[in-house]
Amino acid sequence: MSIPRFISVAAVAFAVAIISLASAAQSTSNIKHVLLISVDGLHALDLARFVDSHPTSALAELSHHGTTYTNARTPAHTDSFPGLLALVTGGSPVSHGIFYDVSFDRTIFDPTNTACSGAPGNIMIFDESIDLYNAANVSLDVIDPTKLPRRLVNGKCVPLYPHSALRTNTIFEAVKAAGGHTAWADKHPAYDLVNGPSGKGVWTTSLRRRSPTSTDSMRP
């Protein structure tokens, strides 16, 4: 689906999830696939105006096949991480535990503290700064574990990956548990968090900057 210039300017991030439901229990349902499109910064009024002025656009076609909730409310704080997690967990920062891509956690240690010594309590950073970069300062679209905060797990000091910071499961984990297939595309590797605490919620994942076949950056 082509993204109109209007939306690409208004949006901070664009994410698409394709979830194939293939279990026997789901075979009797009329719904075989679910497509989730999340556009940061796109308000309901923006979408309504765009659809009115572009009646033949892809978004207009999708909106005509869907249901519009006119009294829906976004979570607060509304940002990329909590906004996305509201969609894929049904919860808020109170339940899933992620307030922002840069926050503070009393149980973790600095990335350089590989022994997890001393008192815990450190900033938890899950933005593009945790990417692995080459000599030209170009992201390789993989997470650099040396930049991740650390925590004690069964007495071992280990890196804390984004998905491990979640306190609740995601729709991807639920679909896989039911025998379905999932896929996810997003803007940088920190969105590994959609895998959920199991780390295996998504069958295949990719980043917007790479081709759909370049998925080993976050593949379970």
Side-chain angles (χ1 to χ4, degrees):
M1 179 180 70
S2 62
I3 306 302
R5 178 177 175 80
F6 170 83
I7 296 176
S8 64
V9 172
V12 177
F14 175 75
V16 176
I18 301 176
I19 308 170
S20 298
L21 308 178
S23 68
Q26 295 157 336
S27 62
T28 58
S29 172
N30 291 327
I31 300 175
K32 300 300 181 182
H33 301 85
V34 177
L35 172 67
L36 170 63
I37 301 176
S38 174
V39 184
D40 278 11
L42 185 66
H43 299 86
L45 182 59
D46 298 329
L47 177 61
R49 288 177 173 175
F50 182 83
V51 169
D52 286 343
S53 59
H54 299 77
T56 60
S57 66
L59 280 180
E61 182 178 354
L62 287 172
S63 67
H64 294 153
H65 289 286
T67 300
T68 300
Y69 294 90
T70 58
N71 200 32
R73 294 290 185 270
T74 62
H77 158 72
T78 304
D79 196 82
S80 295
F81 269 27
L84 170 62
L85 290 175
L87 296 173
V88 301
T89 72
S92 72
V94 174
S95 58
H96 57 63
I98 304 296
F99 179 77
Y100 192 56
D101 57 9
V102 177
S103 55
F104 185 86
D105 192 307
R106 291 186 175 91
T107 67
I108 63 175
F109 298 84
D110 187 84
T112 61
N113 189 351
T114 56
C116 294
S117 59
N122 201 78
I123 295 176
M124 183 170 63
I125 300 177
F126 289 146
D127 58 18
E128 61 273 13
S129 67
I130 67 171
D131 290 14
L132 182 65
Y133 291 85
N134 63 17
N137 200 34
V138 175
S139 172
L140 299 180
D141 289 337
V142 294
I143 292 176
D144 182 351
T146 67
K147 297 178 182 177
L148 294 173
R150 304 183 75 86
R151 67 173 177 174
L152 286 168
V153 177
N154 298 324
K156 295 183 179 180
C157 186
V158 298
L160 175 63
Y161 281 83
H163 71 263
S164 296
L166 278 184
R167 300 173 184 170
T168 58
N169 67 341
T170 67
I171 56 175
F172 301 100
E173 291 173 302
V175 168
K176 283 191 67 177
H181 298 274
T182 60
W184 177 260
D186 219 309
K187 60 182 180 179
H188 58 81
Y191 283 85
D192 153 84
L193 60 84
V194 300
N195 278 300
S198 70
K200 300 178 179 180
V202 180
W203 281 107
T204 58
T205 56
S206 64
L207 303 174
R208 290 186 301 159
R209 293 190 298 267
R210 304 179 74 181
S211 67
T213 57
S214 302
T215 59
D216 46 359
S217 61
M218 297 186 293
R219 181 174 295 175

